[in-house]
Amino acid sequence: MLRTRVIPVLLLMDGGLVKGQEFKKHRYVGDPINAVRIFNEKQVDELMFLDISATIENREPDFDLLTDIASETFMPFGYGGGIKNIATIERLFSLGVEKVVINTEAFYTPNLISEAAIVAGSQSVVVSIDVRKTLFGGYEVYVKNGTVRTRIDPVTYAKKMQELGAGEIVLCSIDREGTGRGYDLELINRVTDSVNIPVVCLGGAGSVHDLAEAKRSSNVSGLAAGNLFVFHGRHKAVLITYPDYIELEKILN
């Protein structure tokens, strides 16, 4: 097994898979069930599904779709999007979701993190933190798919989420997302140096070499990506894939 997890992050919108850049210009890239089957064949260790329309549309998760995903998925998977209360969290776990990923509601209702940790255990509660760089070189947390600024520094926010009971953080650079320019290593190191819980980095990976660089230059426990696993070539042809295990083992272990 790889010492550092390499996690495909799949974005859901209206029942389909989409991918964009800097949280905008999303395009349809396929059927989530088909993607799951491909990742099963590739023996991926972990998947993450984020429904980017659920919170914006103020609706609950698509439980029927998640039931279908759970029935097909051979590996553990996490889910985020439209999670606002404990009842929803309990239902997600009953369907087979291994981790709940909470973003917007962690900001507006932070006690939900503590309540979820009590119900499911901290190891199953993930807080997703989306970050933009400021004009003066700092960083700021955004919520609601990167549309609402919080005026909070990600280090301060990550510490608070850890105190509330989060067992893991997914740290996403909005500025790097979908660009293939590599991870924001400065942001990653600021956050990983400030908390004791696992941090998964997301946003910017364009090749396996970007995975290796983040692993070599930081203390992340997981390397997540979207484009890297759904597009191929300079023209971004849709190709659901995953690096060869031997290749990943060589560069990460």
Side-chain angles (χ1 to χ4, degrees), residues 33 54-55 75 117 144 175 190 210 212 215 224-225 229 234 240:
I33 302 302
T55 298
M75 75 289 289
K144 288 198 172 182
D175 306 303
R190 286 190 187 189
D210 292 326
K215 170 60 178 174
F229 306 125
R234 59 184 297 187
I240 307 296

Side-chain angles (χ1 to χ4, degrees), residues 47-194:
L47 285 177
M48 185 178 298
F49 290 91
L50 303 177
D51 189 329
I52 62 174
S53 57
T55 298
I56 295 297
E57 296 173 0
N58 195 32
R59 63 168 172 81
E60 62 183 10
D62 185 338
F63 293 112
D64 290 337
L65 175 59
L66 290 170
T67 298
D68 292 340
I69 289 173
S71 68
E72 292 283 347
T73 306
F74 293 166
M75 75 289 289
F77 75 96
Y79 168 81
I83 301 174
K84 292 187 174 183
N85 53 58
I86 291 299
T88 296
I89 290 172
E90 290 178 332
R91 185 172 179 184
L92 289 170
F93 283 126
S94 72
L95 294 178
V97 174
E98 296 276 340
K99 296 179 180 179
V100 289
V101 184
I102 304 173
N103 182 299
T104 299
E105 211 60 29
F107 174 69
Y108 290 110
T109 315
N111 285 342
L112 179 62
I113 305 303
S114 300
E115 294 171 6
I118 292 173
V119 169
S122 290
Q123 75 283 351
S124 297
V125 180
V126 180
V127 171
S128 173
I129 303 178
D130 298 328
V131 181
R132 289 186 190 273
K133 216 164 191 179
T134 69
L135 290 175
F136 302 103
Y139 293 96
E140 182 178 349
V141 175
Y142 279 69
V143 295
K144 288 198 172 182
N145 290 357
T147 63
V148 176
R149 62 185 306 186
T150 67
R151 302 184 187 278
I152 300 176
D153 175 80
V155 169
T156 301
Y157 195 69
K159 288 179 179 179
K160 180 179 180 181
M161 293 301 117
Q162 177 178 262
E163 292 170 359
L164 287 169
E168 184 170 278
I169 288 170
V170 174
L171 181 66
C172 180
S173 167
I174 299 174
D175 306 303
R176 300 290 183 104
E177 192 262 345
T179 66
R181 294 191 290 117
Y183 294 105
D184 186 333
L185 299 176
E186 180 184 355
L187 170 63
I188 293 168
N189 281 312
R190 286 190 187 189
V191 174
T192 55
D193 290 346
S194 69

Side-chain angles (χ1 to χ4, degrees), residues 16-32:
L17 289 183
V18 299
K19 196 68 189 75
Q21 183 172 322
E22 298 177 54
F23 285 33
K24 298 177 291 186
K25 300 177 182 178
H26 292 98
R27 59 182 275 206
Y28 178 80
V29 296
D31 173 65

Side-chain angles (χ1 to χ4, degrees), residues 1-5 215 245-253:
M1 180 176 288
L2 297 173
R3 297 172 189 168
T4 303
R5 293 169 291 153
K215 170 60 178 174
Y245 184 88
I246 294 176
E247 180 184 11
L248 287 177
E249 189 174 44
K250 184 185 298 182
I251 68 171
L252 296 179
N253 288 354

